[in-house]
Amino acid sequence: MEDGSIRIKQERYNKVFITIIPFGAFFIALFLGAVLIFLAGINPWEAYNYMLYSIFGNLRLFSEVFTHFVPLIFCALSFAVAFKGGFFNVGQEGQLYFGALTGALVGIYIQGLPAFIHIPLALLAGFIGGAFWCWIAGILKIKLGADEILNTIMLSYLSILLINFIVMYFLKPANSYISQSEKIARSAYFPKIIPNTQINLGVILALLIAIIVYIFLFRSPAGYEVRAIGENLEAANHAGINIIKGTMTVIIISGGLSGLAGTSIVMGTQYRLIPALSPGYGFEGIGAAVMARNNPLGIILTTFLFAFLRVGAGAMQRGVGVPLPISWAIEGIIMILVTASEYLSNKISANLIGGRA
Amino acid sequence: MGKNKLFSGVFILAFVLLIGFSTFALAEPLKVAVIFPQPITSEGWTKSGYDGLMKAKEDFDIEISYQENVSAGEIKEALRGYAAEGYDLIIVHEMDYIEPTIEVAEEYPDIMFAVIYGYESADNVAVVSGTNWEANCLAGAVAGLMTKTNKVGFMISHDSPIAHEFLNAAFIYGARKINPEVEVITTFVGSWDDTVKGKELAKALVKEGVDVIYSQCGVINRAVLQVCEESGIWAIGAVEDMSYLAPQTVIASAIAPTEYLVYGAIKDMINGTLKGGNVIKGIKDGAEDIVFNPSLKDKLPENGEEKIMELRQEIIEGNITIEQIREELTKQNVKF
Amino acid sequence: MNLSTLASWFAMSIRLSIPLLYAALGGLILFKSGVFNMGLEGMMLIGAFLGFYGVLVTDSLWIGLLTAIIGGALLGLLLAYVTVSLGGNQLVIGLGINFFILGLTGFFFRLLCNSGLVSDTTRIANFSSINIPFLSTLPFLGEIFFKHNFLTYLAILLVILINWFFYKTTYGLGLLAVGESPETANSAGINVYLIRYIAAIISGILAATGGAFLTLTQVTRFSENITDGRGWLALAVIIFGKYTPWGTLGASLVFGAGLGLVLQLQVLGVKIPIQIVQMLPYVLTIAALIGVVGKVRGPSALGRPFVKD
């Protein structure tokens, strides 16, 4: 009895540790970033101080965190779902653009619908667009065994160029000099939850979907099958799980989530399709997912940090003149350290499982 | 669990202290901010805006700040950031961002916004533009004047509607005006950063018999200049007077002096004359022009300078408009 | 298109393909040992920057090349440590390296500019073309093949060397075995970790050389983000080249020709949307994956960390 309770306590401590480790890595990265800021001749304390103060000191600026948060969380969830199912989808960026295209088309060309129909319809279109682009990669993998990490990246580049082309040559209004589509119908705008801020329906949607993804992965039979495939393909096959069906489910959900990232930018921030829609949400989302160890609930927290840092990079530039490249370098250090810190987490969790056995 | 709580406690405490210690200054000079879509090291267009800001900082008692490489997805955030931080004048150095600027300007009616180039405006959004074509037209004329092979090259960084309907149309018109035989080869590098591709493109143009190149590609211009220097052909500088970079190669430059646009908007703000609305400044306001390289003036053909100046005068007097140019080119069946 | 234009397009294609070839060969070696290298872009960029910096400070091209190589090797070492020793995510570490180096080189380049070491008119020395006696005077072929710089000829030599190494040497076969099944290789007495470490360092060195090619031969100045996605394109080169050294050479030539075509067609006055031509390499790669060039098969253990029991 005594022994058992110690073990449970130990397990609980370990779990806390595993959660904290990536955040430790995050803060060490901020510290290393401080060294760079110092090299630029700026007081790092002042810079970080300014970042926190300016963002938390102003509701409107704070709400800008959510313009990044929403697409980032969809990208991170997209990676996490696929990862859990053993499919390395790293083409979030391209799927995002494709979802933005299909969502925007429904937003622009279907007019006169009430918002409660138009919004879900546009979201559905975005989901389908993203899912379709990911499905191509999936087919290449399933039918031809082509490595998905590489083909999702190739498809990403293709998608970005394709959307750029479509906007400039087909969606641009004839009398406009700017390469962008027309605005979507008002009925497809995400309604604002707090007026005069960027906190709109997208935020609630993102949080809701994060929870749904969590329930799907960890509380549903289908999710169990998906995870079984991801953990051990042969064992899953042996247990009679339909591998193709499971993998396809994951591919569709993952691509669809990325598509929603694009649609949410169109419906929540830009209200139109533009060629430079995403400043790299795809890759950042992957970073956030890895930092949360692909747990959808953890992803809520880590994407918030990444989104915060994005707004923070701008704030530090505006307020204290921290050169932009330093913010990129800090982001890179975060990714490197978070990846490296996986080792510690893995070691502890290996002990954890070892303890159970 | 205890550790976790302690950790967050310390964090929140540190946070509250941070906010508490931050103090407000009382009397402040005018606060001016500029938002750039490219990194400030991207030479040419962005650099000229940056130089304008720096010059204003020297000349006036103002506090400045800038944010660079701001993408379309981040523009509203940058605008709101500056607005929240109490800036009096926020300048956006990109015409594509006019609509988000107007949107944010509605939220902050007490702050003045200015967009460099643009086509719409609002009560507190001033649009300060160059013409996008006058200097280009003269650059084309110089190219037409100097070419012996009757082939001239025009390099643009990215394909866009503006590139076709303003820059390219004006350049072709200018070139044909002086030299009806001339063939203009217009090319897009497809990048702001890729100096290697720019250089190869320039080399290919030279190989094709082009003997004057006008490049409007930011940092890539220098690589192009080098090719022109090595192959002994003429180059036309863009944005700034580039003759100091290659004194024996740059025959003339289509300049956009930094005193206008960004600097001008700040100056008008200080004088209290910056208003909402659209102001287009061209050659007659001194906001753009063509300058010849003084040390190469003897290389110009006879009456060459006069011909260019004649065209310049016609533009100043308003006898030529961009709409006419497009119409005329279409009539002549010239694609632009 | 006349012969002379054709020749200059081919020569341009070769010049554009060599940086890709270096990076792709670097990627290939590490891929073959079973580890992804998504940090090629960052490794190229550090090579471009350090190569420039080395020459700027010492005026010696060789020292410039050496500093580039050292930078690449260090990044390779970092990649190996995180992926091989720590078993970290091979994709995210690559992304991290790319972001980190993009920021770092941008930052230090600005420091150089601010300190006055780099000015508006700064240009550094560069590897000039070597005209191979007799051959370079051949009509048509001379211009295409025999008027390139030292690093170009070296790249072709490396293809031959790496091909020989992979299929004819014990270490090479060991490396391939590690990529196919590290467990089997390990039980056969091959040191999996060591091989992957060495492969990663060589990978970094080659990618950095590809980057240095940009600043030391093509342009004589560094600018932020000068690699502009070449490291990612190199991944496409590896697949299109079917994971073989000769294939990689062929694929980089095809992609280089594609990049050159984008430029050459415009010069010839052919009006097609530039985006369409830019899509070409990726369409080709996907065509390759679909099986147009025959079955493409990567190393079986690609992306799978190896943990020694």
Side-chain angles (χ1 to χ4, degrees), chain A residues 34 43 74 84 105-106 127 129 134 146 159 177 213 222-223 229 267 284 292 294 321:
Chain A
N43 181 346
F74 282 126
K84 286 283 181 195
L105 288 178
V106 169
F127 187 92
C134 192
S159 161
Y177 295 129
V213 169
I229 295 170
M267 296 167 72
E284 246 178 51
N294 296 302

Side-chain angles (χ1 to χ4, degrees), chain B residues 199 226 230, chain C residues 48 50-65 121-129 149 151 212-222:
Chain B
K199 197 168 178 185
Q226 214 177 329
E230 283 160 10
Chain C
L50 287 180
F52 169 77
Y53 180 69
V55 179
L56 183 76
V57 174
T58 65
D59 259 331
S60 157
L61 283 165
W62 300 104
I63 292 181
L65 194 58
T121 44
T122 300
R123 284 181 196 170
I124 56 167
N126 61 341
F127 285 108
S128 47
S129 328
N149 58 56
L151 282 172
F213 189 91
L214 301 174
T215 46
L216 298 188
T217 77
Q218 290 182 306
V219 288
T220 51
R221 214 181 137 86
F222 179 81

Side-chain angles (χ1 to χ4, degrees), chain A residues 12-13 16-17 20 27 45 48-50 52-54 56-58 60-61 64 67-68 168-169 172 174 176-180 183 192 196 198 269-272 274 276-277 279 281 310-315 317-319 323-325 328, chain B residues 1-4 7 11 14-15 18-19 21-24 39 64-69 71-85 87 95-100 103 107-108 119 159-162 164-166 323 326:
Chain A
R12 202 183 281 158
Y13 268 124
V16 170
F17 259 126
I20 287 178
F27 284 105
W45 172 253
Y48 285 146
N49 180 357
Y50 186 87
L52 291 174
Y53 167 71
S54 77
F56 283 108
N58 182 291
R60 276 189 186 159
L61 189 58
E64 289 293 333
T67 56
H68 301 300
M168 176 139 167
Y169 288 90
K172 178 185 85 68
S176 164
Y177 295 129
I178 297 179
S179 189
Q180 57 185 20
K183 280 199 170 182
K192 301 225 163 172
N196 279 329
Q198 289 304 302
T269 327
Q270 295 293 339
Y271 307 126
R272 60 170 46 151
I274 57 172
L277 201 64
Y281 291 133
R310 226 172 212 293
V311 179
Q317 226 191 114
R318 290 191 296 267
L324 176 70
W328 287 333
Chain B
M1 277 309 189
K3 258 185 194 163
N4 210 4
F7 177 73
F11 195 67
F15 211 65
L18 282 182
I19 293 176
F21 280 129
S22 310
T23 48
F24 294 93
I64 62 151
S65 168
Y66 63 87
Q67 188 174 348
E68 58 182 314
N69 210 37
S71 73
E74 295 163 312
I75 176 66
K76 289 186 207 169
E77 168 190 323
L79 285 165
R80 289 197 180 100
Y82 275 129
E85 285 148 17
Y87 280 79
M95 65 172 287
D96 283 13
Y97 298 169
I98 181 80
E99 282 165 45
E103 196 185 315
E107 298 167 17
Y108 296 92
Y119 48 90
D159 194 3
S160 76
I162 291 275
H164 287 287
E165 294 183 34
F166 286 87
E323 288 77 19
R326 274 183 232 136

Side-chain angles (χ1 to χ4, degrees), chain B residues 12-303:
Chain B
I12 290 168
L13 187 69
F15 211 65
V16 170
L17 285 178
L18 282 182
I19 293 176
F21 280 129
S22 310
T23 48
F24 294 93
L26 288 175
E28 283 176 348
L30 189 76
K31 289 175 82 175
V32 179
V34 185
I35 299 170
F36 296 104
Q38 262 98 40
I40 48 157
T41 45
S42 169
E43 279 156 59
W45 167 235
T46 307
K47 185 169 172 278
S48 95
Y50 177 76
D51 289 346
L53 178 66
M54 289 305 144
K55 191 168 152 51
K57 185 190 169 194
E58 266 174 36
D59 292 359
F60 310 121
D61 178 29
I62 53 171
E63 198 185 312
I64 62 151
S65 168
Y66 63 87
Q67 188 174 348
E68 58 182 314
N69 210 37
V70 176
S71 73
E74 295 163 312
I75 176 66
K76 289 186 207 169
E77 168 190 323
L79 285 165
R80 289 197 180 100
Y82 275 129
E85 285 148 17
Y87 280 79
D88 305 292
L89 171 63
I90 302 168
I91 302 173
V92 179
H93 203 248
E94 167 69 59
M95 65 172 287
D96 283 13
Y97 298 169
I98 181 80
E99 282 165 45
T101 307
I102 290 177
E103 196 185 315
V104 175
E106 276 169 20
E107 298 167 17
Y108 296 92
D110 300 333
I111 296 173
M112 194 65 200
F113 294 81
V115 180
I116 307 300
Y117 284 83
Y119 48 90
E120 278 178 59
S121 59
D123 283 347
N124 58 337
V125 180
V127 168
V128 186
S129 307
T131 60
N132 249 332
W133 68 270
E134 290 182 356
N136 280 303
C137 183
L138 294 178
V142 173
L145 186 71
M146 296 310 294
T147 180
K148 296 222 162 53
T149 58
N150 283 341
K151 276 187 183 176
V152 301
F154 184 17
M155 292 175 59
I156 303 175
S157 54
H158 277 286
D159 194 3
S160 76
I162 291 275
H164 287 287
E165 294 183 34
F166 286 87
L167 314 183
N168 195 28
F171 185 84
I172 294 177
Y173 177 84
R176 288 172 63 92
K177 181 97 180 171
I178 298 289
N179 178 354
E181 303 293 306
V182 76
E183 182 194 342
V184 175
I185 304 179
T186 306
T187 57
F188 301 98
V189 183
S191 164
W192 282 109
D193 308 312
D194 201 328
T195 45
V196 175
K197 261 196 244 164
K199 197 168 178 185
E200 289 294 350
L201 188 53
K203 277 188 192 167
L205 283 169
V206 173
K207 196 84 192 174
E208 203 49 38
V210 161
D211 63 350
V212 186
I213 297 182
Y214 174 48
S215 165
Q216 269 217 342
C217 311
V219 70
I220 293 170
N221 289 350
R222 303 187 172 232
V224 176
L225 222 52
Q226 214 177 329
V227 174
C228 295
E229 214 172 8
E230 283 160 10
S231 1
I233 66 162
W234 299 119
I236 299 172
V239 183
E240 59 171 335
D241 184 351
M242 288 191 168
S243 48
Y244 77 102
L245 289 169
Q248 291 308 308
T249 304
V250 176
I251 186 80
S253 300
I255 56 162
T258 47
E259 282 82 357
Y260 299 87
L261 307 178
V262 171
Y263 183 90
I266 297 172
K267 195 173 157 195
D268 289 351
M269 181 76 185
I270 289 170
N271 296 337
T273 52
L274 190 69
K275 289 193 294 284
N278 200 338
V279 180
I280 296 179
K281 289 182 179 169
I283 293 178
K284 71 171 181 307
D285 313 285
E288 45 189 288
D289 213 337
I290 191 95
V291 289
F292 288 95
N293 180 351
S295 59
L296 292 179
K297 272 205 171 165
D298 55 323
K299 306 278 189 219
L300 294 172
E302 214 175 320
N303 292 334

Side-chain angles (χ1 to χ4, degrees), chain A residues 315-326:
Chain A
M316 286 196 292
Q317 226 191 114
R318 290 191 296 267
V320 223
V322 173
L324 176 70
I326 289 186

